[in-house]
């Protein structure tokens, strides 16, 4: 097969569909299987190569025969790849762990629609807008000591306020230009009050757009949509990026 990569216009077709399905089966692809090789698919390829132990210079957003062979078990990683994979696993950040957990719940919806009744609000202990509860769930599951079930955080403005006191809260504001996978995006959508929150999947490129995994969202209702989704966002809608430091 020819190597698939990011192009303009985007590559489409059965080969991309196949790649997305294989990446999904291995837990790297979190988007909709649509046969379009876009940014999310490219990121999944890079994540797979990183986890498999590819040399840094070879970690690129592309999909070809070699990657497919490793993902399907037709080829075994070399000893050097296994060493790198082991070292990288030990270096996985708290935020990256939270992203991996968030990926598992993409597609979960509240039931009935409009009720705010979903596993994350039930887990937290409050039936209400649950975007922050989803973030809290993911970070608690990842082992964070800053987030706490039933206490920290269910309300976006409180998370933002506490991030301004990192020594007390365990979360801190991220300086502009230093955003990373696993950071937390607090959205104001043009206002000064944090209305919504998500976990950064792909950091901002050129300081403009990024991809996040969010709870209680939809294409027609950014901050109260009732579903866990992968969303493409713009930094202009973000009040602050926040990072869990413990």
């Amino acid at each position: 097969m020819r190597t698939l990569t990011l192009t303009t216009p985007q590559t489409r077709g059965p080969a991309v569909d196949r790649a997305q399905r294989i990446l999904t089966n291995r837990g790297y692809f979190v988007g909709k299987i649509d046969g379009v090789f876009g940014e999310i698919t490219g990121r999944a390829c890079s994540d797979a190569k990183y986890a498999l132990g590819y040399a840094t210079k070879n970690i690129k957003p592309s999909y070809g025969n070699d990657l497919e062979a490793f993902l399907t078990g037709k080829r075994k990683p070399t000893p050097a790849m296994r060493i790198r994979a082991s070292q990288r696993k030990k270096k996985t950040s708290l935020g990256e762990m939270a992203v991996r957990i968030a990926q598992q719940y993409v597609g979960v919806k509240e039931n009935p629609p409009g009720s705010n009744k979903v596993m994350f609000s039930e887990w937290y202990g409050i039936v209400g807008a649950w975007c922050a509860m989803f973030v809290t769930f993911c970070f608690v599951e990842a082992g964070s000591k800053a987030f706490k079930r039933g206490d920290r955080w269910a309300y976006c403005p409180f998370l933002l306020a506490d991030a301004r006191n990192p020594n007390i809260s365990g979360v801190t504001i991220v300086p502009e230009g230093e955003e990373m996978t696993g950071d937390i995006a607090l959205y104001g959508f043009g206002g000064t009050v944090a209305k919504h929150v998500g976990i950064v999947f792909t950091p901002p490129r050129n300081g403009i757009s990024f991809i996040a995994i969010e709870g209680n969202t939809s294409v027609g209702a950014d901050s109260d949509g009732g579903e866990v989704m992968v969303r493409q966002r713009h930094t202009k809608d973000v009040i602050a990026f926040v990072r869990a430091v413990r």
Side-chain angles (χ1 to χ4, degrees):
M1 67 178 287
R2 67 187 180 92
T3 298
L4 304 171
T5 189
L6 294 169
T7 58
T8 303
Q10 293 174 328
T11 301
R12 301 168 179 265
V16 181
D17 186 284
R18 173 184 171 83
Q20 290 175 333
R21 292 184 185 281
I22 291 172
L23 288 162
T24 297
N25 290 340
R26 291 298 304 271
Y28 297 112
F29 182 69
V30 298
K32 178 182 178 182
I33 295 174
D34 56 7
V36 180
F37 198 99
E39 189 174 343
I40 297 175
T41 308
R43 172 57 194 265
C45 294
S46 295
D47 286 349
K49 291 175 181 178
Y50 181 86
L52 285 165
Y54 274 56
T56 301
K57 67 179 181 179
N58 294 327
I59 298 176
K60 299 175 182 179
S62 60
Y63 187 96
N65 289 327
D66 285 346
L67 179 57
E68 181 167 306
F70 286 126
L71 291 173
T72 56
K74 294 179 180 178
R75 285 185 62 185
K76 300 298 183 183
T78 65
M81 290 175 67
R82 290 197 294 269
I83 290 170
R84 283 192 292 264
S86 178
Q87 292 173 337
R88 288 168 180 170
K89 188 174 182 179
K90 293 176 182 177
K91 294 180 180 179
T92 301
S93 71
L94 188 59
E96 289 170 331
M97 287 295 297
V99 166
R100 291 181 184 179
I101 291 163
Q103 288 178 267
Q104 301 172 29
Y105 296 96
V106 172
V108 171
K109 299 179 181 180
E110 58 188 43
N111 187 32
S115 67
N116 286 320
K117 292 183 178 180
V118 68
M119 61 176 290
F120 312 108
S121 59
E122 293 174 358
W123 170 86
Y124 194 90
I126 297 174
V127 177
W130 51 274
C131 59
M133 298 184 219
F134 171 69
V135 171
T136 294
F137 173 87
C138 293
F139 275 89
V140 168
E141 290 293 301
S144 172
K145 302 302 181 185
F147 292 81
K148 185 177 180 182
R149 181 179 182 178
D151 187 14
R152 300 188 303 271
W153 286 268
Y155 187 48
C156 296
F158 289 172
L159 173 56
L160 178 59
D162 288 349
R164 293 180 171 133
N165 296 284
N167 292 332
I168 298 174
S169 65
V171 291
T172 186
I173 303 293
V174 178
E176 185 176 351
E178 297 182 14
E179 301 88 357
M180 299 169 53
T181 297
D183 285 344
I184 300 158
L186 284 156
Y187 306 98
F189 299 116
T192 58
V193 177
K195 301 175 181 178
H196 187 58
V197 64
I199 305 174
V200 175
F201 183 61
T202 300
R205 297 192 176 208
N206 301 319
I208 300 174
S209 66
F210 63 98
I211 294 171
I213 303 176
E214 304 168 8
N216 201 20
T217 189
S218 70
V219 175
D222 282 330
S223 59
D224 191 21
E227 184 176 353
V228 179
M229 296 182 68
V230 179
R231 303 297 308 272
Q232 183 161 353
R233 297 297 194 184
H234 295 276
T235 53
K236 65 180 178 61
D237 293 323
V238 176
I239 294 178
F241 288 97
V242 170
R243 182 171 300 154
V245 294
R246 61 177 173 86

